Amino acid sequence: MTRVLVTGHAGFIGFHVAKRLLAEGHDVVGVDSVNAYYDPSLKRARLAQIESVERMRSFEFDIADQATLEEAFAAARPEVVIHLAAQAGVRYSIDHPSSYMSSNLVGTFNLLEAARAYPVRHFMLASSSSVYGMNAKVPFSERDRADEPVSLYAATKKATETLAHSYAHLYAIPTTAFRFFTVYGPWGRPDMALFKFVRAMEVGDPIDVYGEGRMIRDFTYIDDLVESIVRLSNVVPMVGAPVGAEDSLSPVAPFRTVNLGGGSPVGLLDFIEAIEAATGKKSSRNLLPMQPGDVVQTSADPTLLRTLIGNTPNTPVATGVTEFVRWWRSYRSTYVAGEDSELPH
């Protein structure tokens, strides 16, 4: 049994990670601000699934609040930190940059300071495939350059990797930064394409398809992502102990980056067809140009991940989309029937 601190445990990924850890018998401390980036009722519904578990301790505050975070950290004394709290969204970052500075940079700095004061066995940091920017070489490898972000969101994620590397070097904090590739699945965020598409198609509204449908994404089902994170928690980076030529392990710090993606990219139009099959409804599509900050293609090289944790699950998109639609219909029905409840917007 391990004491694990999960930041962002009311969020899409954090909720699933906390739920899995609790199911395995670990003690989990969750920290989340439950902010209004999207309807907090969805976050509260997620929390209701896990807060009744005896081994779950839940705190509600912003990790940018250094004093409160240090108090919670000192009380919890985690052995492992899984840092998932962040201001998400590429497009949102264009109009609301200050929230990314506060949550992604200041919040991460505060966590690293707490881990320095109260040493942990493994510090795990959520990054993003967005750090690869417009990299024309695919699939993306952890050893590729990631120095040309095209969105503020990506820039903050790359900055947190760099910040964490310096702390790993200076204070011997074993750190793994994992780069997410378009995570989707039940309990997902309302600002994500799958959520938007299903909600619109269920009521016959048109969907906005950016990049005129030419975009390609390495969609990663949430259960596959969680499985990878949990297995990686036991793979602690050590200086001078690379696992092979493909390893991204730093030569000067116990720090590595790992792609969390299956390496099976899917075209956006194929993704929409999978949604049509799962819902039994045809979509009406508004084909729109690329949005600022978006990239045409993401594709993960999963070689390092497989080397570190063995064969990785790779749920087919058709299966994952079907599971989302099943959840959405159940969730929507529950919230329509409930008093004083609203659907996420």
Side-chain angles (χ1 to χ4, degrees):
M1 183 169 63
T2 303
R3 296 187 306 278
V4 185
L5 173 67
V6 178
T7 69
H9 73 302
F12 170 38
I13 297 172
F15 156 70
H16 281 281
V17 169
K19 186 177 180 181
R20 168 66 180 272
L21 292 170
L22 290 168
E24 292 191 354
H26 300 292
D27 292 329
V28 178
V29 174
V31 174
D32 201 295
S33 66
V34 194
N35 64 29
Y37 169 59
Y38 57 85
D39 190 346
S41 67
L42 176 56
K43 301 177 184 181
R44 299 289 180 195
R46 294 184 188 122
L47 290 175
Q49 303 287 312
I50 57 177
E51 287 187 330
S52 60
V53 180
E54 185 177 352
R55 285 171 285 99
M56 179 79 228
R57 296 173 62 192
S58 189
F59 295 90
E60 188 171 326
F61 64 86
D62 193 326
I63 58 173
D65 180 348
Q66 186 175 31
T68 303
L69 177 61
E70 186 167 343
E71 289 176 6
F73 209 99
R77 291 297 180 96
E79 300 166 83
V80 174
V81 172
I82 303 179
H83 176 30
L84 300 165
Q87 178 58 61
V90 169
R91 294 167 192 157
Y92 190 78
S93 69
I94 295 171
D95 298 320
H96 304 85
S98 61
S99 60
Y100 291 77
M101 298 297 108
S102 175
S103 180
N104 299 8
L105 296 183
V106 175
T108 299
F109 163 74
N110 290 342
L111 267 173
L112 288 166
E113 277 288 282
R116 178 168 75 94
Y118 304 96
V120 299
R121 177 169 61 85
H122 197 177
F123 189 96
M124 306 182 75
L125 169 73
S127 185
S128 168
S129 61
S130 297
V131 301
Y132 291 111
M134 293 290 192
N135 194 340
K137 172 185 169 293
V138 291
F140 301 153
S141 167
E142 296 88 347
R143 290 164 290 123
D144 293 340
R145 284 188 60 202
D147 300 324
E148 298 167 348
V150 295
S151 70
L152 180 66
Y153 168 70
T156 61
K157 284 300 187 180
K158 178 61 177 179
T160 59
E161 288 185 11
T162 304
L163 185 64
H165 180 275
S166 67
Y167 268 73
H169 169 67
L170 291 170
Y171 309 115
I173 301 174
T175 301
T176 299
F178 28 73
R179 295 171 174 171
F180 295 153
F181 282 73
T182 315
V183 188
Y184 74 101
W187 294 99
R189 298 198 322 263
D191 63 320
M192 302 177 81
L194 177 58
F195 204 119
K196 288 181 176 180
F197 290 170
V198 170
R199 184 173 54 192
M201 289 164 60
E202 287 279 76
V203 296
D205 288 343
I207 60 175
D208 291 337
V209 182
Y210 293 101
E212 298 174 336
R214 293 178 289 104
M215 290 191 289
I216 298 171
R217 291 290 180 266
D218 204 338
F219 292 99
T220 307
Y221 188 59
I222 183 63
D223 288 357
D224 300 343
L225 183 87
V226 171
E227 180 70 23
S228 296
I229 291 173
V230 170
R231 290 195 208 174
L232 278 174
S233 68
N234 296 313
V235 184
V236 181
M238 295 184 293
V239 175
V243 297
E246 72 278 4
D247 201 350
S248 62
L249 182 70
S250 168
V252 298
F255 177 95
R256 72 161 47 95
T257 56
V258 185
N259 288 336
L260 296 194
S264 302
V266 174
L268 181 56
L269 296 182
D270 292 330
F271 189 64
I272 292 171
E273 288 180 2
I275 300 172
E276 291 176 337
T279 59
K281 300 177 184 294
K282 294 295 291 183
S283 62
S284 173
R285 308 172 189 179
N286 294 326
L287 298 182
L288 301 172
M290 291 281 290
Q291 295 292 286
D294 275 351
V295 299
V296 175
Q297 179 173 358
T298 64
S299 177
D301 182 343
T303 303
L304 176 57
L305 178 63
R306 289 173 181 160
T307 300
L308 293 171
I309 67 173
N311 291 331
T312 55
N314 192 6
T315 300
V317 161
T319 302
V321 167
T322 298
E323 288 302 310
F324 176 86
V325 171
R326 182 179 294 117
W327 166 79
W328 161 249
R329 287 174 172 169
S330 173
Y331 175 78
R332 182 178 185 276
S333 173
T334 299
Y335 272 66
V336 167
E339 295 182 2
D340 300 322
S341 296
E342 295 181 357
L343 292 174
H345 53 270

